[in-house]
PDB file of all heavy atoms in Angstrom:
ATOM      1  N   ASP A   1     -80.023  34.137  -3.729  1.00 83.00           N
ATOM      2  CA  ASP A   1     -79.538  32.765  -3.593  1.00 83.00           C
ATOM      3  C   ASP A   1     -78.657  32.357  -4.775  1.00 83.00           C
ATOM      4  O   ASP A   1     -77.736  31.550  -4.608  1.00 83.00           O
ATOM      5  CB  ASP A   1     -80.723  31.797  -3.487  1.00 83.00           C
ATOM      6  CG  ASP A   1     -81.489  31.954  -2.166  1.00 83.00           C
ATOM      7  OD1 ASP A   1     -80.915  32.538  -1.224  1.00 83.00           O
ATOM      8  OD2 ASP A   1     -82.644  31.500  -2.102  1.00 83.00           O
ATOM      9  N   VAL A   2     -78.938  32.919  -5.952  1.00 77.00           N
ATOM     10  CA  VAL A   2     -78.141  32.584  -7.137  1.00 77.00           C
ATOM     11  C   VAL A   2     -76.701  33.043  -6.946  1.00 77.00           C
ATOM     12  O   VAL A   2     -75.749  32.306  -7.210  1.00 77.00           O
ATOM     13  CB  VAL A   2     -78.754  33.223  -8.403  1.00 77.00           C
ATOM     14  CG1 VAL A   2     -77.824  33.033  -9.603  1.00 77.00           C
ATOM     15  CG2 VAL A   2     -80.126  32.630  -8.687  1.00 77.00           C
ATOM     16  N   TRP A   3     -76.532  34.275  -6.483  1.00 86.00           N
ATOM     17  CA  TRP A   3     -75.190  34.821  -6.231  1.00 86.00           C
ATOM     18  C   TRP A   3     -74.460  33.973  -5.185  1.00 86.00           C
ATOM     19  O   TRP A   3     -73.293  33.611  -5.369  1.00 86.00           O
ATOM     20  CB  TRP A   3     -75.296  36.267  -5.765  1.00 86.00           C
ATOM     21  CG  TRP A   3     -73.980  36.961  -5.581  1.00 86.00           C
ATOM     22  CD1 TRP A   3     -73.156  36.901  -4.496  1.00 86.00           C
ATOM     23  CD2 TRP A   3     -73.337  37.821  -6.518  1.00 86.00           C
ATOM     24  NE1 TRP A   3     -72.041  37.677  -4.695  1.00 86.00           N
ATOM     25  CE2 TRP A   3     -72.124  38.253  -5.934  1.00 86.00           C
ATOM     26  CE3 TRP A   3     -73.677  38.284  -7.795  1.00 86.00           C
ATOM     27  CZ2 TRP A   3     -71.249  39.127  -6.594  1.00 86.00           C
ATOM     28  CZ3 TRP A   3     -72.788  39.149  -8.442  1.00 86.00           C
ATOM     29  CH2 TRP A   3     -71.598  39.556  -7.838  1.00 86.00           C
ATOM     30  N   ASP A   4     -75.173  33.656  -4.129  1.00 89.00           N
ATOM     31  CA  ASP A   4     -74.567  32.855  -3.054  1.00 89.00           C
ATOM     32  C   ASP A   4     -74.177  31.469  -3.548  1.00 89.00           C
ATOM     33  O   ASP A   4     -73.125  30.932  -3.172  1.00 89.00           O
ATOM     34  CB  ASP A   4     -75.538  32.734  -1.872  1.00 89.00           C
ATOM     35  CG  ASP A   4     -75.776  34.065  -1.182  1.00 89.00           C
ATOM     36  OD1 ASP A   4     -74.947  34.981  -1.363  1.00 89.00           O
ATOM     37  OD2 ASP A   4     -76.780  34.193  -0.461  1.00 89.00           O
ATOM     38  N   ALA A   5     -75.002  30.889  -4.431  1.00 88.00           N
ATOM     39  CA  ALA A   5     -74.714  29.552  -4.955  1.00 88.00           C
ATOM     40  C   ALA A   5     -73.478  29.577  -5.848  1.00 88.00           C
ATOM     41  O   ALA A   5     -72.616  28.687  -5.761  1.00 88.00           O
ATOM     42  CB  ALA A   5     -75.914  29.020  -5.725  1.00 88.00           C
ATOM     43  N   MET A   6     -73.372  30.582  -6.714  1.00 91.00           N
ATOM     44  CA  MET A   6     -72.203  30.676  -7.590  1.00 91.00           C
ATOM     45  C   MET A   6     -70.930  30.851  -6.772  1.00 91.00           C
ATOM     46  O   MET A   6     -69.893  30.242  -7.065  1.00 91.00           O
ATOM     47  CB  MET A   6     -72.368  31.840  -8.566  1.00 91.00           C
ATOM     48  CG  MET A   6     -73.424  31.615  -9.623  1.00 91.00           C
ATOM     49  SD  MET A   6     -73.444  32.892 -10.906  1.00 91.00           S
ATOM     50  CE  MET A   6     -73.906  34.345  -9.948  1.00 91.00           C
ATOM     51  N   THR A   7     -71.020  31.665  -5.741  1.00 93.00           N
ATOM     52  CA  THR A   7     -69.860  31.891  -4.879  1.00 93.00           C
ATOM     53  C   THR A   7     -69.493  30.615  -4.133  1.00 93.00           C
ATOM     54  O   THR A   7     -68.315  30.242  -4.039  1.00 93.00           O
ATOM     55  CB  THR A   7     -70.154  33.024  -3.884  1.00 93.00           C
ATOM     56  OG1 THR A   7     -70.511  34.210  -4.606  1.00 93.00           O
ATOM     57  CG2 THR A   7     -68.941  33.314  -3.016  1.00 93.00           C
ATOM     58  N   ALA A   8     -70.502  29.917  -3.610  1.00 94.00           N
ATOM     59  CA  ALA A   8     -70.252  28.700  -2.845  1.00 94.00           C
ATOM     60  C   ALA A   8     -69.642  27.601  -3.708  1.00 94.00           C
ATOM     61  O   ALA A   8     -68.853  26.782  -3.218  1.00 94.00           O
ATOM     62  CB  ALA A   8     -71.553  28.207  -2.218  1.00 94.00           C
ATOM     63  N   MET A   9     -69.996  27.570  -4.995  1.00 94.00           N
ATOM     64  CA  MET A   9     -69.482  26.533  -5.887  1.00 94.00           C
ATOM     65  C   MET A   9     -68.078  26.826  -6.402  1.00 94.00           C
ATOM     66  O   MET A   9     -67.465  25.969  -7.034  1.00 94.00           O
ATOM     67  CB  MET A   9     -70.418  26.348  -7.064  1.00 94.00           C
ATOM     68  CG  MET A   9     -71.621  25.496  -6.724  1.00 94.00           C
ATOM     69  SD  MET A   9     -72.566  25.157  -8.196  1.00 94.00           S
ATOM     70  CE  MET A   9     -73.828  26.386  -8.032  1.00 94.00           C
ATOM     71  N   THR A  10     -67.582  28.023  -6.132  1.00 97.00           N
ATOM     72  CA  THR A  10     -66.244  28.403  -6.577  1.00 97.00           C
ATOM     73  C   THR A  10     -65.274  28.213  -5.414  1.00 97.00           C
ATOM     74  O   THR A  10     -65.383  28.903  -4.396  1.00 97.00           O
ATOM     75  CB  THR A  10     -66.226  29.866  -7.046  1.00 97.00           C
ATOM     76  OG1 THR A  10     -67.200  30.040  -8.085  1.00 97.00           O
ATOM     77  CG2 THR A  10     -64.846  30.257  -7.553  1.00 97.00           C
ATOM     78  N   PRO A  11     -64.324  27.278  -5.524  1.00 97.00           N
ATOM     79  CA  PRO A  11     -63.428  26.991  -4.402  1.00 97.00           C
ATOM     80  C   PRO A  11     -62.720  28.215  -3.831  1.00 97.00           C
ATOM     81  O   PRO A  11     -62.459  28.262  -2.624  1.00 97.00           O
ATOM     82  CB  PRO A  11     -62.442  25.986  -4.997  1.00 97.00           C
ATOM     83  CG  PRO A  11     -63.251  25.248  -6.008  1.00 97.00           C
ATOM     84  CD  PRO A  11     -64.134  26.297  -6.618  1.00 97.00           C
ATOM     85  N   MET A  12     -62.408  29.203  -4.653  1.00 98.00           N
ATOM     86  CA  MET A  12     -61.736  30.393  -4.139  1.00 98.00           C
ATOM     87  C   MET A  12     -62.676  31.309  -3.365  1.00 98.00           C
ATOM     88  O   MET A  12     -62.237  32.292  -2.758  1.00 98.00           O
ATOM     89  CB  MET A  12     -61.051  31.160  -5.275  1.00 98.00           C
ATOM     90  CG  MET A  12     -59.832  30.430  -5.822  1.00 98.00           C
ATOM     91  SD  MET A  12     -58.947  31.340  -7.119  1.00 98.00           S
ATOM     92  CE  MET A  12     -58.253  32.707  -6.159  1.00 98.00           C
ATOM     93  N   GLY A  13     -63.980  31.003  -3.389  1.00 96.00           N
ATOM     94  CA  GLY A  13     -64.930  31.740  -2.561  1.00 96.00           C
ATOM     95  C   GLY A  13     -65.321  33.103  -3.072  1.00 96.00           C
ATOM     96  O   GLY A  13     -65.834  33.931  -2.319  1.00 96.00           O
ATOM     97  N   ARG A  14     -65.120  33.353  -4.343  1.00 95.00           N
ATOM     98  CA  ARG A  14     -65.546  34.632  -4.935  1.00 95.00           C
ATOM     99  C   ARG A  14     -65.781  34.443  -6.424  1.00 95.00           C
ATOM    100  O   ARG A  14     -65.359  33.439  -7.008  1.00 95.00           O
ATOM    101  CB  ARG A  14     -64.479  35.708  -4.732  1.00 95.00           C
ATOM    102  CG  ARG A  14     -63.179  35.465  -5.502  1.00 95.00           C
ATOM    103  CD  ARG A  14     -62.253  36.669  -5.414  1.00 95.00           C
ATOM    104  NE  ARG A  14     -60.974  36.459  -6.076  1.00 95.00           N
ATOM    105  CZ  ARG A  14     -60.748  36.664  -7.377  1.00 95.00           C
ATOM    106  NH1 ARG A  14     -61.740  37.063  -8.164  1.00 95.00           N
ATOM    107  NH2 ARG A  14     -59.544  36.460  -7.902  1.00 95.00           N
ATOM    108  N   LEU A  15     -66.453  35.409  -7.028  1.00 95.00           N
ATOM    109  CA  LEU A  15     -66.623  35.408  -8.465  1.00 95.00           C
ATOM    110  C   LEU A  15     -65.394  36.023  -9.122  1.00 95.00           C
ATOM    111  O   LEU A  15     -64.670  36.820  -8.504  1.00 95.00           O
ATOM    112  CB  LEU A  15     -67.868  36.179  -8.867  1.00 95.00           C
ATOM    113  CG  LEU A  15     -69.187  35.383  -8.901  1.00 95.00           C
ATOM    114  CD1 LEU A  15     -69.513  34.799  -7.542  1.00 95.00           C
ATOM    115  CD2 LEU A  15     -70.329  36.263  -9.385  1.00 95.00           C
ATOM    116  N   GLY A  16     -65.157  35.642 -10.365  1.00 97.00           N
ATOM    117  CA  GLY A  16     -64.045  36.218 -11.106  1.00 97.00           C
ATOM    118  C   GLY A  16     -64.384  37.603 -11.631  1.00 97.00           C
ATOM    119  O   GLY A  16     -65.544  38.030 -11.634  1.00 97.00           O
ATOM    120  N   GLU A  17     -63.350  38.293 -12.106  1.00 97.00           N
ATOM    121  CA  GLU A  17     -63.511  39.634 -12.670  1.00 97.00           C
ATOM    122  C   GLU A  17     -63.169  39.596 -14.157  1.00 97.00           C
ATOM    123  O   GLU A  17     -62.305  38.824 -14.586  1.00 97.00           O
ATOM    124  CB  GLU A  17     -62.588  40.627 -11.961  1.00 97.00           C
ATOM    125  CG  GLU A  17     -62.852  40.772 -10.476  1.00 97.00           C
ATOM    126  CD  GLU A  17     -64.164  41.475 -10.170  1.00 97.00           C
ATOM    127  OE1 GLU A  17     -64.683  42.184 -11.072  1.00 97.00           O
ATOM    128  OE2 GLU A  17     -64.664  41.332  -9.040  1.00 97.00           O
ATOM    129  N   PRO A  18     -63.821  40.441 -14.969  1.00 98.00           N
ATOM    130  CA  PRO A  18     -63.531  40.454 -16.403  1.00 98.00           C
ATOM    131  C   PRO A  18     -62.052  40.635 -16.727  1.00 98.00           C
ATOM    132  O   PRO A  18     -61.545  40.036 -17.680  1.00 98.00           O
ATOM    133  CB  PRO A  18     -64.374  41.628 -16.918  1.00 98.00           C
ATOM    134  CG  PRO A  18     -65.529  41.691 -15.971  1.00 98.00           C
ATOM    135  CD  PRO A  18     -64.944  41.345 -14.627  1.00 98.00           C
ATOM    136  N   HIS A  19     -61.352  41.439 -15.928  1.00 98.00           N
ATOM    137  CA  HIS A  19     -59.940  41.669 -16.237  1.00 98.00           C
ATOM    138  C   HIS A  19     -59.109  40.401 -16.067  1.00 98.00           C
ATOM    139  O   HIS A  19     -58.028  40.272 -16.677  1.00 98.00           O
ATOM    140  CB  HIS A  19     -59.376  42.810 -15.374  1.00 98.00           C
ATOM    141  CG  HIS A  19     -59.195  42.476 -13.926  1.00 98.00           C
ATOM    142  ND1 HIS A  19     -58.083  41.810 -13.446  1.00 98.00           N
ATOM    143  CD2 HIS A  19     -59.977  42.719 -12.854  1.00 98.00           C
ATOM    144  CE1 HIS A  19     -58.185  41.655 -12.137  1.00 98.00           C
ATOM    145  NE2 HIS A  19     -59.323  42.192 -11.757  1.00 98.00           N
ATOM    146  N   GLU A  20     -59.611  39.438 -15.290  1.00 98.00           N
ATOM    147  CA  GLU A  20     -58.880  38.185 -15.124  1.00 98.00           C
ATOM    148  C   GLU A  20     -59.006  37.306 -16.366  1.00 98.00           C
ATOM    149  O   GLU A  20     -58.085  36.553 -16.706  1.00 98.00           O
ATOM    150  CB  GLU A  20     -59.374  37.474 -13.872  1.00 98.00           C
ATOM    151  CG  GLU A  20     -59.003  38.249 -12.606  1.00 98.00           C
ATOM    152  CD  GLU A  20     -59.596  37.675 -11.333  1.00 98.00           C
ATOM    153  OE1 GLU A  20     -60.827  37.478 -11.280  1.00 98.00           O
ATOM    154  OE2 GLU A  20     -58.818  37.459 -10.372  1.00 98.00           O
ATOM    155  N   ILE A  21     -60.133  37.406 -17.060  1.00 98.00           N
ATOM    156  CA  ILE A  21     -60.276  36.725 -18.352  1.00 98.00           C
ATOM    157  C   ILE A  21     -59.418  37.428 -19.396  1.00 98.00           C
ATOM    158  O   ILE A  21     -58.720  36.789 -20.197  1.00 98.00           O
ATOM    159  CB  ILE A  21     -61.739  36.700 -18.808  1.00 98.00           C
ATOM    160  CG1 ILE A  21     -62.637  36.099 -17.721  1.00 98.00           C
ATOM    161  CG2 ILE A  21     -61.878  35.928 -20.118  1.00 98.00           C
ATOM    162  CD1 ILE A  21     -62.269  34.696 -17.307  1.00 98.00           C
ATOM    163  N   ALA A  22     -59.444  38.748 -19.390  1.00 98.00           N
ATOM    164  CA  ALA A  22     -58.657  39.519 -20.354  1.00 98.00           C
ATOM    165  C   ALA A  22     -57.168  39.223 -20.217  1.00 98.00           C
ATOM    166  O   ALA A  22     -56.441  39.156 -21.217  1.00 98.00           O
ATOM    167  CB  ALA A  22     -58.924  41.006 -20.164  1.00 98.00           C
ATOM    168  N   ALA A  23     -56.708  39.030 -18.991  1.00 98.00           N
ATOM    169  CA  ALA A  23     -55.293  38.722 -18.777  1.00 98.00           C
ATOM    170  C   ALA A  23     -54.927  37.374 -19.382  1.00 98.00           C
ATOM    171  O   ALA A  23     -53.840  37.204 -19.956  1.00 98.00           O
ATOM    172  CB  ALA A  23     -54.978  38.727 -17.280  1.00 98.00           C
ATOM    173  N   ALA A  24     -55.826  36.404 -19.267  1.00 98.00           N
ATOM    174  CA  ALA A  24     -55.578  35.092 -19.866  1.00 98.00           C
ATOM    175  C   ALA A  24     -55.522  35.194 -21.379  1.00 98.00           C
ATOM    176  O   ALA A  24     -54.667  34.567 -22.033  1.00 98.00           O
ATOM    177  CB  ALA A  24     -56.674  34.112 -19.438  1.00 98.00           C
ATOM    178  N   VAL A  25     -56.424  35.979 -21.964  1.00 98.00           N
ATOM    179  CA  VAL A  25     -56.425  36.163 -23.414  1.00 98.00           C
ATOM    180  C   VAL A  25     -55.131  36.834 -23.863  1.00 98.00           C
ATOM    181  O   VAL A  25     -54.505  36.430 -24.854  1.00 98.00           O
ATOM    182  CB  VAL A  25     -57.646  36.989 -23.857  1.00 98.00           C
ATOM    183  CG1 VAL A  25     -57.554  37.331 -25.349  1.00 98.00           C
ATOM    184  CG2 VAL A  25     -58.939  36.232 -23.569  1.00 98.00           C
ATOM    185  N   ALA A  26     -54.703  37.859 -23.125  1.00 98.00           N
ATOM    186  CA  ALA A  26     -53.473  38.579 -23.480  1.00 98.00           C
ATOM    187  C   ALA A  26     -52.271  37.644 -23.452  1.00 98.00           C
ATOM    188  O   ALA A  26     -51.392  37.713 -24.323  1.00 98.00           O
ATOM    189  CB  ALA A  26     -53.264  39.756 -22.538  1.00 98.00           C
ATOM    190  N   TYR A  27     -52.220  36.770 -22.467  1.00 98.00           N
ATOM    191  CA  TYR A  27     -51.134  35.792 -22.398  1.00 98.00           C
ATOM    192  C   TYR A  27     -51.127  34.894 -23.626  1.00 98.00           C
ATOM    193  O   TYR A  27     -50.093  34.712 -24.294  1.00 98.00           O
ATOM    194  CB  TYR A  27     -51.266  34.958 -21.127  1.00 98.00           C
ATOM    195  CG  TYR A  27     -50.522  33.640 -21.184  1.00 98.00           C
ATOM    196  CD1 TYR A  27     -49.128  33.608 -21.217  1.00 98.00           C
ATOM    197  CD2 TYR A  27     -51.206  32.424 -21.237  1.00 98.00           C
ATOM    198  CE1 TYR A  27     -48.443  32.397 -21.298  1.00 98.00           C
ATOM    199  CE2 TYR A  27     -50.538  31.221 -21.318  1.00 98.00           C
ATOM    200  CZ  TYR A  27     -49.153  31.211 -21.350  1.00 98.00           C
ATOM    201  OH  TYR A  27     -48.486  30.015 -21.433  1.00 98.00           O
ATOM    202  N   LEU A  28     -52.276  34.315 -23.957  1.00 98.00           N
ATOM    203  CA  LEU A  28     -52.350  33.396 -25.086  1.00 98.00           C
ATOM    204  C   LEU A  28     -52.096  34.100 -26.421  1.00 98.00           C
ATOM    205  O   LEU A  28     -51.611  33.476 -27.370  1.00 98.00           O
ATOM    206  CB  LEU A  28     -53.708  32.699 -25.118  1.00 98.00           C
ATOM    207  CG  LEU A  28     -53.939  31.683 -23.991  1.00 98.00           C
ATOM    208  CD1 LEU A  28     -55.391  31.217 -23.978  1.00 98.00           C
ATOM    209  CD2 LEU A  28     -52.992  30.490 -24.111  1.00 98.00           C
ATOM    210  N   ALA A  29     -52.400  35.383 -26.487  1.00 98.00           N
ATOM    211  CA  ALA A  29     -52.164  36.144 -27.708  1.00 98.00           C
ATOM    212  C   ALA A  29     -50.691  36.480 -27.901  1.00 98.00           C
ATOM    213  O   ALA A  29     -50.249  36.737 -29.022  1.00 98.00           O
ATOM    214  CB  ALA A  29     -52.987  37.427 -27.695  1.00 98.00           C
ATOM    215  N   SER A  30     -49.937  36.460 -26.830  1.00 98.00           N
ATOM    216  CA  SER A  30     -48.561  36.944 -26.851  1.00 98.00           C
ATOM    217  C   SER A  30     -47.548  35.834 -27.113  1.00 98.00           C
ATOM    218  O   SER A  30     -47.859  34.640 -27.061  1.00 98.00           O
ATOM    219  CB  SER A  30     -48.226  37.613 -25.517  1.00 98.00           C
ATOM    220  OG  SER A  30     -47.974  36.627 -24.519  1.00 98.00           O
ATOM    221  N   ASP A  31     -46.297  36.237 -27.333  1.00 98.00           N
ATOM    222  CA  ASP A  31     -45.218  35.272 -27.540  1.00 98.00           C
ATOM    223  C   ASP A  31     -44.846  34.540 -26.257  1.00 98.00           C
ATOM    224  O   ASP A  31     -44.092  33.557 -26.312  1.00 98.00           O
ATOM    225  CB  ASP A  31     -43.985  35.979 -28.094  1.00 98.00           C
ATOM    226  CG  ASP A  31     -44.192  36.429 -29.537  1.00 98.00           C
ATOM    227  OD1 ASP A  31     -45.118  35.912 -30.192  1.00 98.00           O
ATOM    228  OD2 ASP A  31     -43.430  37.293 -30.004  1.00 98.00           O
ATOM    229  N   ASP A  32     -45.352  34.990 -25.110  1.00 98.00           N
ATOM    230  CA  ASP A  32     -45.148  34.232 -23.874  1.00 98.00           C
ATOM    231  C   ASP A  32     -45.781  32.853 -23.972  1.00 98.00           C
ATOM    232  O   ASP A  32     -45.394  31.934 -23.249  1.00 98.00           O
ATOM    233  CB  ASP A  32     -45.740  34.981 -22.673  1.00 98.00           C
ATOM    234  CG  ASP A  32     -44.897  36.160 -22.251  1.00 98.00           C
ATOM    235  OD1 ASP A  32     -43.728  36.243 -22.691  1.00 98.00           O
ATOM    236  OD2 ASP A  32     -45.390  37.008 -21.490  1.00 98.00           O
ATOM    237  N   ALA A  33     -46.747  32.709 -24.868  1.00 98.00           N
ATOM    238  CA  ALA A  33     -47.433  31.421 -25.075  1.00 98.00           C
ATOM    239  C   ALA A  33     -47.033  30.810 -26.413  1.00 98.00           C
ATOM    240  O   ALA A  33     -47.811  30.100 -27.037  1.00 98.00           O
ATOM    241  CB  ALA A  33     -48.944  31.615 -25.017  1.00 98.00           C
ATOM    242  N   SER A  34     -45.808  31.051 -26.846  1.00 98.00           N
ATOM    243  CA  SER A  34     -45.382  30.641 -28.190  1.00 98.00           C
ATOM    244  C   SER A  34     -45.376  29.138 -28.412  1.00 98.00           C
ATOM    245  O   SER A  34     -45.406  28.685 -29.558  1.00 98.00           O
ATOM    246  CB  SER A  34     -43.984  31.203 -28.488  1.00 98.00           C
ATOM    247  OG  SER A  34     -43.048  30.748 -27.526  1.00 98.00           O
ATOM    248  N   PHE A  35     -45.350  28.333 -27.341  1.00 98.00           N
ATOM    249  CA  PHE A  35     -45.360  26.878 -27.479  1.00 98.00           C
ATOM    250  C   PHE A  35     -46.663  26.286 -26.956  1.00 98.00           C
ATOM    251  O   PHE A  35     -46.740  25.116 -26.609  1.00 98.00           O
ATOM    252  CB  PHE A  35     -44.152  26.273 -26.739  1.00 98.00           C
ATOM    253  CG  PHE A  35     -43.780  24.880 -27.170  1.00 98.00           C
ATOM    254  CD1 PHE A  35     -43.579  24.573 -28.507  1.00 98.00           C
ATOM    255  CD2 PHE A  35     -43.622  23.864 -26.232  1.00 98.00           C
ATOM    256  CE1 PHE A  35     -43.229  23.285 -28.908  1.00 98.00           C
ATOM    257  CE2 PHE A  35     -43.275  22.566 -26.623  1.00 98.00           C
ATOM    258  CZ  PHE A  35     -43.073  22.282 -27.964  1.00 98.00           C
ATOM    259  N   VAL A  36     -47.703  27.122 -26.916  1.00 98.00           N
ATOM    260  CA  VAL A  36     -49.001  26.700 -26.391  1.00 98.00           C
ATOM    261  C   VAL A  36     -50.030  26.715 -27.514  1.00 98.00           C
ATOM    262  O   VAL A  36     -50.362  27.774 -28.056  1.00 98.00           O
ATOM    263  CB  VAL A  36     -49.468  27.631 -25.246  1.00 98.00           C
ATOM    264  CG1 VAL A  36     -50.821  27.167 -24.711  1.00 98.00           C
ATOM    265  CG2 VAL A  36     -48.433  27.695 -24.134  1.00 98.00           C
ATOM    266  N   THR A  37     -50.526  25.549 -27.870  1.00 98.00           N
ATOM    267  CA  THR A  37     -51.609  25.463 -28.851  1.00 98.00           C
ATOM    268  C   THR A  37     -52.447  24.225 -28.561  1.00 98.00           C
ATOM    269  O   THR A  37     -51.933  23.226 -28.040  1.00 98.00           O
ATOM    270  CB  THR A  37     -51.076  25.450 -30.294  1.00 98.00           C
ATOM    271  OG1 THR A  37     -52.154  25.729 -31.201  1.00 98.00           O
ATOM    272  CG2 THR A  37     -50.429  24.124 -30.667  1.00 98.00           C
ATOM    273  N   GLY A  38     -53.718  24.313 -28.876  1.00 98.00           N
ATOM    274  CA  GLY A  38     -54.635  23.208 -28.608  1.00 98.00           C
ATOM    275  C   GLY A  38     -54.960  23.038 -27.143  1.00 98.00           C
ATOM    276  O   GLY A  38     -55.519  22.021 -26.741  1.00 98.00           O
ATOM    277  N   SER A  39     -54.654  24.043 -26.338  1.00 98.00           N
ATOM    278  CA  SER A  39     -54.852  23.941 -24.888  1.00 98.00           C
ATOM    279  C   SER A  39     -56.138  24.624 -24.458  1.00 98.00           C
ATOM    280  O   SER A  39     -56.697  25.453 -25.178  1.00 98.00           O
ATOM    281  CB  SER A  39     -53.672  24.570 -24.140  1.00 98.00           C
ATOM    282  OG  SER A  39     -52.498  23.818 -24.329  1.00 98.00           O
ATOM    283  N   GLU A  40     -56.572  24.293 -23.259  1.00 98.00           N
ATOM    284  CA  GLU A  40     -57.735  24.936 -22.656  1.00 98.00           C
ATOM    285  C   GLU A  40     -57.304  25.531 -21.321  1.00 98.00           C
ATOM    286  O   GLU A  40     -56.769  24.834 -20.455  1.00 98.00           O
ATOM    287  CB  GLU A  40     -58.878  23.937 -22.491  1.00 98.00           C
ATOM    288  CG  GLU A  40     -58.492  22.637 -21.825  1.00 98.00           C
ATOM    289  CD  GLU A  40     -59.480  21.516 -22.097  1.00 98.00           C
ATOM    290  OE1 GLU A  40     -59.506  20.998 -23.228  1.00 98.00           O
ATOM    291  OE2 GLU A  40     -60.207  21.138 -21.160  1.00 98.00           O
ATOM    292  N   LEU A  41     -57.520  26.814 -21.174  1.00 98.00           N
ATOM    293  CA  LEU A  41     -57.104  27.530 -19.969  1.00 98.00           C
ATOM    294  C   LEU A  41     -58.346  27.887 -19.159  1.00 98.00           C
ATOM    295  O   LEU A  41     -59.210  28.645 -19.613  1.00 98.00           O
ATOM    296  CB  LEU A  41     -56.332  28.806 -20.355  1.00 98.00           C
ATOM    297  CG  LEU A  41     -55.894  29.715 -19.220  1.00 98.00           C
ATOM    298  CD1 LEU A  41     -55.099  28.959 -18.165  1.00 98.00           C
ATOM    299  CD2 LEU A  41     -55.080  30.874 -19.783  1.00 98.00           C
ATOM    300  N   TYR A  42     -58.430  27.314 -17.950  1.00 98.00           N
ATOM    301  CA  TYR A  42     -59.573  27.561 -17.079  1.00 98.00           C
ATOM    302  C   TYR A  42     -59.286  28.724 -16.154  1.00 98.00           C
ATOM    303  O   TYR A  42     -58.277  28.731 -15.458  1.00 98.00           O
ATOM    304  CB  TYR A  42     -59.909  26.294 -16.270  1.00 98.00           C
ATOM    305  CG  TYR A  42     -60.465  25.205 -17.144  1.00 98.00           C
ATOM    306  CD1 TYR A  42     -59.617  24.323 -17.803  1.00 98.00           C
ATOM    307  CD2 TYR A  42     -61.832  25.085 -17.365  1.00 98.00           C
ATOM    308  CE1 TYR A  42     -60.119  23.347 -18.648  1.00 98.00           C
ATOM    309  CE2 TYR A  42     -62.339  24.117 -18.204  1.00 98.00           C
ATOM    310  CZ  TYR A  42     -61.472  23.239 -18.836  1.00 98.00           C
ATOM    311  OH  TYR A  42     -61.977  22.280 -19.680  1.00 98.00           O
ATOM    312  N   VAL A  43     -60.171  29.704 -16.193  1.00 98.00           N
ATOM    313  CA  VAL A  43     -60.073  30.871 -15.300  1.00 98.00           C
ATOM    314  C   VAL A  43     -61.358  30.855 -14.494  1.00 98.00           C
ATOM    315  O   VAL A  43     -62.317  31.548 -14.775  1.00 98.00           O
ATOM    316  CB  VAL A  43     -59.915  32.177 -16.124  1.00 98.00           C
ATOM    317  CG1 VAL A  43     -59.620  33.350 -15.184  1.00 98.00           C
ATOM    318  CG2 VAL A  43     -58.812  32.025 -17.161  1.00 98.00           C
ATOM    319  N   ASP A  44     -61.379  29.980 -13.479  1.00 98.00           N
ATOM    320  CA  ASP A  44     -62.647  29.619 -12.847  1.00 98.00           C
ATOM    321  C   ASP A  44     -62.583  29.492 -11.339  1.00 98.00           C
ATOM    322  O   ASP A  44     -63.515  28.957 -10.717  1.00 98.00           O
ATOM    323  CB  ASP A  44     -63.141  28.294 -13.444  1.00 98.00           C
ATOM    324  CG  ASP A  44     -62.226  27.116 -13.128  1.00 98.00           C
ATOM    325  OD1 ASP A  44     -61.141  27.329 -12.544  1.00 98.00           O
ATOM    326  OD2 ASP A  44     -62.592  25.975 -13.465  1.00 98.00           O
ATOM    327  N   GLY A  45     -61.501  29.964 -10.732  1.00 98.00           N
ATOM    328  CA  GLY A  45     -61.404  29.904  -9.274  1.00 98.00           C
ATOM    329  C   GLY A  45     -61.374  28.490  -8.725  1.00 98.00           C
ATOM    330  O   GLY A  45     -61.654  28.280  -7.547  1.00 98.00           O
TER     331      GLY A  45
END
């Protein structure tokens, strides 16, 4: 029921994957985010 509840509460209907968090970190670490500071990036479906 815990798995089903987490999935049901996520609008995209699935759990996220670790590589999706890693991709967000890589973006913020890179110069692609050179004008981004003090922000909060949600990777939460």
Side-chain angles (χ1 to χ4, degrees):
D1 291 342
V2 172
W3 185 277
D4 293 341
M6 290 188 296
T7 303
M9 280 187 261
T10 303
M12 289 183 69
R14 67 172 177 86
L15 273 60
E17 299 290 340
H19 71 83
E20 293 174 307
I21 306 302
V25 173
Y27 160 68
L28 290 171
S30 78
D31 289 342
D32 285 345
S34 59
F35 200 52
V36 180
T37 195
S39 292
E40 50 200 73
L41 177 54
Y42 291 86
V43 188
D44 65 354

